[in-house]
C-alpha cells in the first residue's frame, strides 16, 4: 500500500531512479510520481518498464522510461543527461538497480566478479557524478542509495553482491562528505527481505519465509511499497539535516 504522506516540497522536482521498471523500483517510480514529481527511470528491461509507464498513464500519472544498461557508463551518462534535459536538473537521485544472482565461490571468475560489481556498485558512483553539478547549481539535492541487510546477516549465497552492498554504505559516507558543502545529502536505505515478483519467483520458499518472519518484530511480509515512505522522507526537506546515514527498513529483523 502506498504511503498516505504528502511532501509538498517534492512537487515538481526532477527525480531520477535506477532500476525503476520493476520490483521496489517500480513502487518508487509510482510513489514519487504520486507526489507530483517529474520522474525519469533507467532500466534495462523494456517490457516491464513500458508496462509500468502505461499503467501510470492510465492512472493519470507519468514517468519517463529511459532504456539503458547501467553497466555501460556512456549509456548511463546519456540517460542521466536526458532526464535533466527533459525535466530540469535532477535534484533527487535514487540508486536502486541491482542484480542479486546467487553464486558459488568456486564458480566466480574475474569477469563474473567485475560484471557483478558493474551493476551492484559502480553505477552508484557514476550516476552521482553525473547529477552532482546540476544539483549544486540548483542549490542542493538528495541522493539515496539502496544497500541491503544481506551483508549484516551474513547471507551466504552471494558474496559479490553482499560485498557491493557493504561498499554502497562506504560510498554513501564518502560522497556525503564530499558533496555536503554543496548542500547535497547522501543517504542509504538497507531493506530487509521484500516480496518482489523476482524474489517470489526465484528465492522465496515457504520454510525460508516463515523462518524470516519469525525473526521480524513485525510479522507481516514486507512489500515494495513499504520502501516508498522512507525514500520520500530522505528525498524531502523533512530530513534536511540528515546525511551520511543508513536507514534500515527490515520490519525489525536485525
Ligand atoms: N527485494 C529484496 O528483498 C531486497 C532486499 C534488500 C535489498 N534490496 C535492494 O533493493 C533494490 C531493489 O531490489 P529489487 O528486489 O526490487 O530488485 P529487482 O531485481 O526486482 O529489480 C531491479 C531492477 O533493476 C533493473 N536492472 C537490473 N540490471 C540492470 C542493468 N544492468 N541496467 C539497468 N537496469 C537494471 C531490473 O530490470 C529491475 O527492474 C536493490 O538495490 C536491492 O539490492 C532488495
Amino acid at each position: 500500500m502506498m504511503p498516505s504522506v504528502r511532501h509538498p516540497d517534492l512537487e515538481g522536482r526532477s527525480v531520477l531512479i535506477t532500476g525503476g521498471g520493476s520490483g521496489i523500483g517500480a513502487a518508487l517510480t509510482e510513489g514519487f510520481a504520486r507526489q507530483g514529481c517529474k520522474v525519469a527511470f533507467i532500466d534495462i528491461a523494456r517490457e516491464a518498464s513500458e508496462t509500468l509507464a502505461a499503467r501510470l498513464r492510465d492512472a493519470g500519472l507519468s514517468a519517463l522510461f529511459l532504456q539503458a544498461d547501467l553497466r555501460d557508463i556512456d549509456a548511463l551518462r546519456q540517460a542521466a543527461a536526458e532526464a535533466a534535459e527533459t525535466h530540469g536538473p535532477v535534484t533527487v537521485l535514487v540508486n536502486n538497480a541491482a542484480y542479486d544472482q546467487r553464486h558459488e565461490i568456486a564458480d566466480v571468475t574475474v569477469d563474473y566478479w567485475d560484471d557483478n560489481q558493474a551493476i551492484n556498485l559502480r553505477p552508484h558512483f557514476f550516476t552521482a557524478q553525473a547529477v552532482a553539478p546540476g544539483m549544486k547549481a540548483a542549490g542542493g539535492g538528495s541522493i539515496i542509495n539502496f544497500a541491503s541487510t544481506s551483508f549484516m546477516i551474513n547471507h551466504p549465497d552471494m558474496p559479490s553482491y553482499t560485498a557491493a552492498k557493504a561498499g554502497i554504505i562506504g560510498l554513501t559516507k564518502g560522497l556525503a562528505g564530499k558533496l555536503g558543502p554543496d548542500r547535497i545529502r547522501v543517504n542509504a536505505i538497507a531493506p530487509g527481505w521484500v516480496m518482489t515478483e523476482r524474489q517470489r519467483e526465484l528465492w522465496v520458499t515457504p520454510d525460508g519465509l516463515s523462518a524470516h518472519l519469525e525473526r521480524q518484530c513485525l510479522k507481516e511480509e514486507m512489500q515494495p511499497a513499504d520502501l516508498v515512505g522512507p525514500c520520500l522522507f530522505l528525498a524531502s526537506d523533512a530530513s534536511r539535516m540528515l546525511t551520511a546515514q543508513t536507514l534500515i527498513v527490515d520490519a525489525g529483523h536485525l
Side-chain angles (χ1 to χ4, degrees):
M1 199 169 56
M2 282 287 156
S4 53
V5 68
R6 184 96 199 152
H7 293 282
D9 67 294
L10 289 179
E11 197 158 338
R13 297 272 291 278
S14 170
V15 176
L16 178 61
I17 301 172
T18 70
S22 71
I24 294 169
L28 299 175
T29 297
E30 179 176 349
F32 277 98
R34 287 191 180 281
Q35 296 289 318
C37 299
K38 292 181 273 185
V39 183
F41 65 99
I42 303 175
D43 210 294
I44 197 169
R46 177 169 290 282
E47 202 184 320
S49 301
E50 285 180 343
T51 303
L52 172 67
R55 184 169 68 72
L56 294 181
R57 250 193 323 276
D58 290 347
L61 301 165
S62 77
L64 174 67
F65 166 44
L66 301 166
Q67 191 183 25
D69 182 342
L70 291 157
R71 293 170 296 183
D72 176 345
I73 300 300
D74 287 340
L76 173 160
R77 287 181 172 142
Q78 207 176 320
E82 203 176 325
E85 272 157 33
T86 311
H87 292 154
V90 172
T91 56
V92 176
L93 166 66
V94 184
N95 279 312
N96 159 79
Y99 187 50
D100 67 346
Q101 196 185 37
R102 275 44 173 172
H103 40 271
E104 291 301 325
I105 290 176
D107 297 337
V108 172
T109 60
V110 171
D111 284 346
Y112 181 94
W113 178 271
D114 288 347
D115 190 58
N116 197 281
Q117 300 299 310
I119 177 59
N120 286 321
L121 180 59
R122 193 172 70 179
H124 301 62
F125 176 82
F126 286 98
T127 48
Q129 184 193 57
V131 303
M135 282 187 178
K136 179 181 177 182
S142 176
I143 298 175
I144 299 149
N145 294 324
F146 269 73
S148 165
T149 58
S150 52
F151 78 89
M152 304 173 195
I153 62 171
N154 309 330
H155 198 302
D157 296 334
M158 41 184 175
S160 179
Y161 171 92
T162 47
K165 289 292 164 186
I168 285 169
I169 292 182
L171 177 67
T172 297
K173 295 185 87 67
L175 289 175
K178 197 74 177 165
L179 298 174
D182 299 331
R183 205 79 227 21
I184 298 170
R185 299 183 297 113
V186 191
N187 290 291
I189 290 181
W193 205 6
V194 184
M195 296 298 111
T196 60
E197 310 88 316
R198 179 176 163 84
Q199 294 301 310
R200 287 194 194 283
E201 253 169 48
L202 295 178
W203 318 122
V204 175
T205 61
D207 286 354
L209 183 57
S210 66
H212 195 86
L213 289 175
E214 186 63 35
R215 273 194 58 100
Q216 285 183 191
C217 297
L218 304 170
K219 302 298 180 189
E220 283 167 53
E221 296 171 11
M222 289 222 297
Q223 303 301 331
D226 294 322
L227 279 306
V228 172
C231 198
L232 294 175
F233 168 67
L234 289 177
S236 92
D237 292 347
S239 58
R240 204 180 81 84
M241 294 303 281
L242 199 167
T243 193
Q245 303 305 311
T246 298
L247 197 56
I248 294 174
V249 184
D250 71 345
H253 180 267
L254 279 176

